[in-house]
């Protein structure tokens, strides 16, 4: 039971207790394949689902290109319905093999799984809802599950820790940036005005964000000397400000990694001096033989 | 008195002594609500002011969108005057409850509070000054006060220290950037000339800043081969130069945080001096033997 | 033999054993000049090849400029054929002097060397393949060899180590970025639609990448209020995300360099184990007392 | 003599010995004012020159704005000639008061000082050379001298050390970037071709640089699906590559600063343990009283 719980958590679904892991029979077999990744069949099922998701996404993307849609429109429609049926069957099977279908249906991935095929049926009834098929892209969120299961677990955990550690500082910083962008956007609206493309304060704020983030689309640009001066100041400002999130994140990660590596170091059991290297045979301070030293 | 002073400082207003904290009566009650954040009523007042500021800003922004202004113009005008009256009343009350009204009126936030409603009246007399209402965005500067009061104090203090520590280096660096931008702007004005959009040296300098900061609006671009070569060199230069402020800030913050964490680690149990190193045997201040010191 | 192997490896060609270093005669002399860089003649040959590559590239680039092609077209053609013949002769000589010509011909640099002149002959037969001559730029890959041989070896090795150390974290991170870009591209396709330039999902994804990487060409820009809001969020997001690869790489390099410098510091004078800490009293490997150790 | 040498070095002019510091009389007085910054008069002269340079630059910049040139053209011409005469007199005086005028005339700042007024005379003779006056901007290079003299010396020295330390790594890195840009530029020229704005290989390389440096002017943009795919890869590449110079510089600076701070630490004169804090009264290792400790 504990094992089932662990694997369910690892797969980002509600835990086994919540979903209601069946006690035996074909429903237990199905459950283990569809919700757990401990057995070979479960892993293969995960991979197959992943490939189908990618294929269905490729079709959605290709179908949005007019040139391809005109040529292969019929093929795309066939593929589209094939994927829709696969996703529908998968969803129904998932519903069948858990003891609390509602818990699954209302969980985050339950909703994502539903949205993967519902728009296709909706578009059948109401043709002008076709664009909703794009919602299928949400299925890609399952990608995270695949990564979680495998070799990148360490990297994920460490990046996550550093991001969490920087989160508060970044929020504080972001609020300052939003304030600057609001003030600067209003200033530019007043300075440049609608006749130079700064048609409203929200538009000016959009421009200010694109400038301070050094994106600079160029769809709106200052034309008056004063506006250009303000823009120049903003660009230099944004340039310096770029340093702040980078600095925060770099620091948090460096300190976390340093602490982790130091944590792997050993302490002399005689003089209690910490910071002994992993491969030390003798204490660097008192010369006592270290525990686990290789035969001299 | 000391308490009042502290809270006033925390709220970025002139200190209590300067403003003249009233000695009792309704003026003291009002003063504590409007200028101090120690009591529950004061905190709620602060939050209410913050919400009203955001709401009035939303109206100013929405009113600048032509589409919305034509539809809801009348509603916006009503709301506009409601906010103006609220701000006026708030300002008058603030004036009333301090002992030195002029001190408040001439303080930074006093001026900001005045600018929050003055443009509305000015626009009444001179309709072509309507755009000045945008000045109200300055009231958002109060955001800093809200942040100061609450949970982000640590993050603020640390970001501030790192920014101050990097300030001198950044100024030196900025002066070099300004020089590069001046020289490069003039060079591009000579190379490309007015017929390619580089209409004057200030315009060329504006272009050089947008290029070296990697914003690249694209409203002005080099067209001659030589101009493109100079631009390419500038872009690679700006790219490398981007590293400098980031490096400065990251270093200052990492060093500050490392020192802070080390400082937290051990305190002498005799003289209570903090900041003892991890491996210290004796207190560096009073020479007392540290707890957990290794056998001498 | 061991020496020949080492130098061959250093030059990025298959090792001497694989290529078949000739046992003597003019073929050995030629082999040493063309494939090894230990003797003076080999170094000079390398430099000469490098200069010819740069010259031939300059001609290819100049020939692509219509203005220059019309004026000096004939000169370019002559030079073009001169370089083609030089590269052909070099290739044939290389084939002649190794014992296993096929091994060389199928090695990475063998293919690159072939591609350097083949397109010229192909263009003679099929004039509309002229543009393939640009493939010659691939020969610049030899630049790596030149750098490898010389003074920058240390810098290369360290940058390489840091890049390899950050590779896994960066891959994980890149997968997250690709996911964000796919989702955001689809959202923008739905929000803005073909009438605003977001003609297909792939195009929208291209736009999303250019936005999140803060490039911002401006060939496609959002026009609807909602689209601009989504774009603003993406820009702020991309801005913060920029911090992640920088942070990863900075950390890996700082830690690697710190370890390297510490490793250089002291060596035990008894067992010659390097990497003793600055404050070590006893060798961590053999327990011998270090020179300059403090009185125990 | 040693003092003169030092101050001359500090002012970026050839050293006193080289220029030939006069031995006495009015020439020595003049020399000390114009070339040295030790006395009050010298400092004031430096400041006056700096102000005149800035003023003359402001006039050059204003004169390039057509709108201002038409209005105040005559005023600008008068000011222009005033500055020219001031610079000429200054140059002649500098020539007069050194013992080796040629040494000064041929030194870097000698040439810069000459270029500050020569174009004005040249423009008098050949009116179509007027644009050369812009060369005066080079005089701003003197800004470096001003900074060198004053309070920023420490910051300058440290930034300089970090830049020098990163120089070799950055050069290696830049060569890789140039190679990528050459290859990618050629690829895009082949993929997109002249009909989409990629008119020649140099132009494509210019585009590749603007893309990889995340500037993205948008004057040239890919239009074919394949071109957009290549551009997307380049943008993600450039994004990751941005991390490298930042990482190099941050590392060098952090390590340099750490070493500097550690260098300021003290060593116990009894047990020779290094790394004692600046404010330590007792050795943290053996408890011995430190030299210079404050009275306990």
């Amino acid at each position: 039971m504990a094992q089932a719980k662990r694997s369910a958590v690892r797969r980002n679904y509600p835990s086994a207790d919540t979903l209601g892991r069946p006690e035996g029979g074909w429903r237990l077999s199905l459950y283990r394949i569809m919700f757990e990744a401990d057995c070979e069949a479960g892993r293969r099922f995960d991979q197959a689902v992943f490939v189908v998701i990618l294929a269905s996404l490729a079709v959605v993307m290709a179908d949005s290109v007019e040139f391809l849609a005109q040529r292969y429109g019929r093929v795309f429609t066939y593929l589209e319905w094939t994927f829709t049926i696969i996703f529908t069957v998968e969803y129904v099977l998932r519903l069948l093999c858990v003891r609390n279908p509602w818990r699954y249906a209302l969980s985050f991935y339950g909703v994502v799984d539903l949205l993967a095929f519902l728009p296709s049926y909706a578009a059948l009834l109401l043709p002008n809802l076709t664009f909703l098929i794009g919602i299928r892209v949400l299925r890609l969120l399952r990608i995270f599950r695949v990564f979680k299961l495998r070799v990148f677990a360490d990297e994920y955990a460490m990046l996550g820790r550093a991001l969490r550690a920087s989160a508060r500082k970044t929020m504080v910083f972001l609020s300052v940036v939003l304030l600057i962008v609001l003030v600067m956007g209003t200033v530019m609206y007043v300075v440049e005005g609608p006749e130079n493309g700064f048609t409203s304060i929200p538009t000016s704020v959009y421009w200010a964000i694109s400038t301070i983030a050094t994106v600079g689309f160029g769809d709106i640009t200052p034309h008056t000397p004063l506006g250009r001066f303000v823009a120049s100041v903003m660009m230099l400002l944004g340039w310096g400000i770029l340093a702040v999130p980078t600095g925060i994140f770099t620091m948090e990660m460096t300190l976390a990694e340093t602490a982790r590596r130091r944590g792997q170091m050993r302490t002399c059991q005689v003089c209690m001096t910490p910071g002994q290297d992993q491969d030390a045979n003798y204490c660097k301070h008192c010369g006592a033989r270290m525990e686990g030293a290789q035969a001299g």
Side-chain angles (χ1 to χ4, degrees), chain A:
Chain A
M1 199 67 179
Q3 187 198 5
K5 206 174 188 173
R6 230 182 311 122
S7 83
V9 166
R10 284 214 317 275
R11 292 176 74 178
N12 267 347
Y13 276 93
S15 75
D17 286 340
T18 319
L19 280 180
R21 198 188 191 229
E23 277 167 12
W26 62 271
R27 286 177 65 194
L28 178 59
S29 308
L30 206 57
Y31 182 91
R32 290 186 62 186
I33 290 171
M34 300 194 84
F35 286 94
E36 295 173 12
D38 292 343
C39 58
E40 185 58 27
R43 266 192 296 275
R44 280 200 194 146
F45 177 77
D46 267 15
Q47 285 164 7
V49 167
F50 188 58
V51 167
V52 174
I53 293 172
L54 283 186
S56 81
L57 274 173
V59 169
V60 170
M61 289 179 77
D63 194 36
S64 78
V65 183
E66 212 182 302
F67 167 78
L68 293 172
Q70 282 172 347
R71 278 220 182 164
Y72 307 106
R74 190 169 289 183
V75 182
F76 289 158
T77 309
Y78 285 137
L79 285 171
E80 186 51 51
W81 280 105
T82 312
F83 293 131
T84 301
I85 288 160
I86 290 175
F87 289 149
T88 312
V89 170
E90 187 210 344
Y91 185 73
V92 171
L93 286 178
R94 279 192 195 268
L95 277 182
L96 281 180
C97 73
V98 291
R99 275 198 302 185
N100 303 323
W102 278 110
R103 285 258 166 87
Y104 163 67
L106 297 174
S107 74
F108 176 70
Y109 275 99
V111 173
V112 165
D113 291 352
L114 182 67
L115 288 175
F117 62 85
L118 207 62
S120 303
Y121 296 112
L124 202 64
L125 300 174
L126 304 157
N128 54 346
L129 286 183
T130 315
F131 69 86
L132 282 176
I133 296 174
I135 289 173
R136 176 163 306 158
V137 85
L138 285 178
R139 283 217 113 186
L140 258 189
L141 290 175
R142 288 167 163 237
I143 255 177
F144 288 116
R145 203 180 56 184
V146 171
F147 277 117
K148 263 224 159 135
L149 283 172
R150 304 204 188 284
V151 290
F152 293 116
D154 267 15
E155 276 77 14
Y156 253 114
M158 199 191 145
L159 279 177
R161 267 197 307 276
L163 283 174
R164 264 194 305 281
S166 354
R168 277 168 64 96
K169 285 197 197 67
T170 307
M171 287 310 291
V172 167
F173 174 68
L174 203 64
S175 69
V176 175
V177 168
L178 281 178
L179 186 66
I180 292 175
V181 153
L182 267 176
V183 173
M184 285 306 207
T186 309
V187 166
M188 286 304 279
Y189 173 68
V190 171
V191 168
E192 289 277 328
E195 65 275 18
N196 289 318
F198 293 77
T199 48
S200 68
I201 293 183
T203 301
S204 297
V205 170
Y206 154 77
W207 173 85
I209 290 175
S210 94
T211 300
I212 219 167
T214 76
V215 174
F217 283 125
D219 50 348
I220 307 167
T221 48
H223 290 93
T224 64
L226 184 56
R228 285 181 169 173
F229 178 76
V230 175
S232 298
V233 171
M234 280 184 71
M235 288 186 272
L236 289 177
L237 204 70
W239 203 31
I241 282 178
L242 250 176
V244 177
T246 309
I248 293 171
F249 181 75
T250 306
M251 183 196 75
E252 293 294 350
M253 211 155 76
T254 308
L255 293 180
E257 182 73 5
T258 309
R260 195 180 68 83
R261 294 198 184 171
R262 193 175 291 147
Q264 286 175 347
M265 283 180 155
R266 294 149 70 204
T267 299
C268 173
Q269 66 274 30
V270 173
C271 70
M272 301 310 284
T273 301
Q276 309 280 347
D277 285 349
Q278 282 284 59
D279 62 346
N281 293 332
Y282 296 92
C283 168
K284 68 179 182 178
H285 183 71
C286 71
R289 194 162 179 77
M290 297 288 287
E291 260 172 47
Q294 61 184 85

